[in-house]
Amino acid sequence: MDSRRSSSSFFDREKHVVFLQMMNQLLPSDYQGQEINRLTLAYFAISGLHILGALDEVDKEEVSSWVLSLQAHPRNEAELNNGQFFGFHGSRSSQFPRDDNGVLIHNGSHLASTYCALAILKIVGYNFSCINSKSILTSMRNLQQPDGSFMPTHVGAETDLRFVFCAAAICSMLENWSGMDKEKAKEYILNCQSYDGGFGLIPGSESHGGATYCAVASLQLMGFIENDILSKSSSSSIINVPLLLDWSLQRQAADGGFQGRANKASDTCYAFWVGGVLRILGGYKFIDKKALHRFLLTCQSQYGGFSKFPGQLPDLYHSYYGFSAFSMLEEPGLIPICVELGIADIAAIGH
């Protein structure tokens, strides 16, 4: 048996808490290449501790001050409307000071970092009335493209469903939808549904578990589909629900885990990405929960955390989505998760 594999037959919450405490305090050297995404890594650690019921391990004031220090602010109304995005930087590495004339030359604000920043602030109970939401929402409209998709940063990058989801989640958390054209975004999402029922990251691409989550969660957040849509009339839905349900259920493999695409190996994170789609649709009751539970435990590390595949070393990303999957499986002691926002229910609805 691989020495790195956990021999545990149960969800080892205490080890997972210790694992996340360690990650929250000092990241291993292997994460150096992810320095630019430090805010996202913090989201995994802090939200993970919340789901595990261990948020008391976090200094909430210190966390909120650090997150807020990464927000980019316009000097005036003119700068707000000059095409830049004034969201949150992913780390100090992308946060440059203004030049001698006070001009922000390198503004690396990113949609994904902004989503993670707001999620963390929700989790620690920060008062959102103190956030300059106008600058975020007004400038975020600069990122939406004519086809309804979003770029993640104003200097240009790929456009796909990941950033449509980030924009929808940001508007939802700020309770203000002025930051995007929902109708245009909806049309883009619908154009990404493939012939087999799943969604690709861009129109015409292969169906993918992560992209399908981004599509379905976005539509739910924007109010275009209802929760538990399977209990409603499918003929009234804007998406092909029966085909989507079929594609999603087919992603549970013989080993009990979920795969992200057809003919791929089961992977811990898709227990959330695809499982989350089924939860939103009302089809989670159709999966083999016992088999999924068994598969996930083969990915649980003896050191705490979860790995991508059975028997490997754990990482922060797969650990977080492993915890999220166990929350959906109603593991005792875990806090219920708001699937469409990717944070605990209690954080999503406010304190």
Side-chain angles (χ1 to χ4, degrees):
M1 184 176 183
D2 191 316
S3 61
R4 294 170 297 181
R5 184 185 300 216
S6 171
S7 58
S8 175
S9 59
F10 64 94
F11 181 84
D12 199 338
R13 178 187 170 278
E14 297 309 313
K15 280 188 178 178
H16 296 317
V17 170
V18 172
F19 173 80
L20 286 183
Q21 285 175 316
M22 178 190 72
M23 290 293 191
N24 191 42
Q25 292 165 9
L26 183 66
L27 288 168
S29 60
D30 285 352
Y31 288 86
Q32 285 179 339
Q34 292 294 318
E35 161 59 23
I36 198 78
N37 298 317
R38 184 176 286 267
L39 195 50
T40 301
L41 298 175
Y43 156 72
F44 291 144
I46 294 165
S47 188
L49 285 168
H50 195 196
I51 291 169
L52 292 174
L55 192 59
D56 287 345
E57 303 295 335
V58 173
D59 185 329
K60 299 178 183 66
E61 286 192 16
E62 184 181 25
V63 166
S64 58
S65 295
W66 175 70
V67 170
L68 291 167
S69 74
L70 291 166
Q71 186 176 2
H73 297 280
R75 286 184 305 172
N76 48 45
E77 197 75 20
E79 192 170 66
L80 178 60
N81 294 300
N82 70 0
Q84 294 189 64
F85 173 50
F86 291 96
F88 288 79
H89 300 276
S91 75
R92 293 282 180 254
S93 302
S94 61
Q95 188 178 38
F96 294 89
R98 293 179 180 272
D99 67 11
D100 294 338
N101 298 315
V103 178
L104 190 61
I105 300 175
H106 302 291
N107 176 4
S109 299
H110 197 283
L111 267 184
S113 301
T114 303
Y115 158 69
C116 291
L118 295 178
I120 292 171
L121 292 173
K122 274 277 189 188
I123 291 162
V124 299
Y126 185 76
N127 184 351
F128 268 43
S129 66
C130 299
I131 296 174
N132 183 358
S133 58
K134 179 188 175 184
S135 66
I136 296 173
L137 295 165
T138 301
S139 63
M140 193 168 80
R141 293 188 72 94
N142 297 325
L143 303 180
Q144 191 165 20
Q145 304 302 295
D147 64 359
S149 65
F150 275 82
M151 287 194 304
T153 180
H154 72 271
V155 295
E158 68 270 34
T159 62
D160 58 54
L161 283 178
R162 292 172 299 173
F163 308 120
V164 174
F165 166 74
C166 289
I170 288 165
C171 288
S172 177
M173 286 188 281
L174 292 175
E175 299 180 19
N176 186 332
W177 290 90
S178 65
M180 64 188 297
D181 185 327
K182 290 202 292 183
E183 287 295 327
K184 276 189 174 181
K186 177 187 75 174
E187 290 307 312
Y188 182 78
I189 293 170
L190 297 184
N191 286 333
C192 291
Q193 188 166 27
S194 184
Y195 69 91
D196 57 8
F199 288 79
L201 278 172
I202 60 175
S205 62
E206 180 185 8
S207 294
H208 183 277
T212 302
Y213 166 84
C214 289
V216 174
S218 297
L219 290 172
Q220 201 281 327
L221 289 170
M222 291 190 287
F224 290 123
I225 61 173
E226 300 174 87
N227 258 323
D228 194 14
I229 198 171
L230 292 178
S231 65
K232 318 295 191 301
S233 172
S234 60
S235 60
S236 64
S237 177
I238 59 173
I239 56 175
N240 189 328
V241 175
L243 206 58
L244 171 58
L245 177 65
D246 185 55
W247 182 86
S248 300
L249 289 171
Q250 286 187 42
R251 300 286 67 76
Q252 187 167 25
D255 59 9
F258 277 87
Q259 58 186 192
R261 291 177 285 163
N263 302 312
K264 293 289 185 178
S266 296
D267 175 336
T268 296
C269 68
Y270 293 109
F272 173 77
W273 297 126
V274 181
V277 169
L278 289 165
R279 256 283 293 272
I280 293 170
L281 295 177
Y284 200 66
K285 57 194 173 189
F286 298 127
I287 73 166
D288 187 336
K289 293 182 181 179
K290 288 184 178 179
L292 176 58
H293 192 274
R294 283 195 301 270
F295 170 78
L296 289 172
L297 286 180
T298 68
C299 298
Q300 179 177 246
S301 169
Q302 62 181 335
Y303 309 114
F306 286 85
S307 56
K308 177 184 177 76
F309 300 128
Q312 296 185 347
L313 287 170
D315 65 83
L316 193 47
Y317 169 86
H318 288 92
S319 295
Y320 180 68
Y321 291 113
F323 306 146
S324 299
F326 269 99
S327 174
M328 290 196 296
L329 287 169
E330 300 179 340
E331 177 71 23
L334 298 195
I335 292 178
I337 191 168
C338 173
V339 173
E340 60 271 24
L341 277 180
I343 57 177
D345 261 336
I346 192 171
I349 61 177
H351 294 254

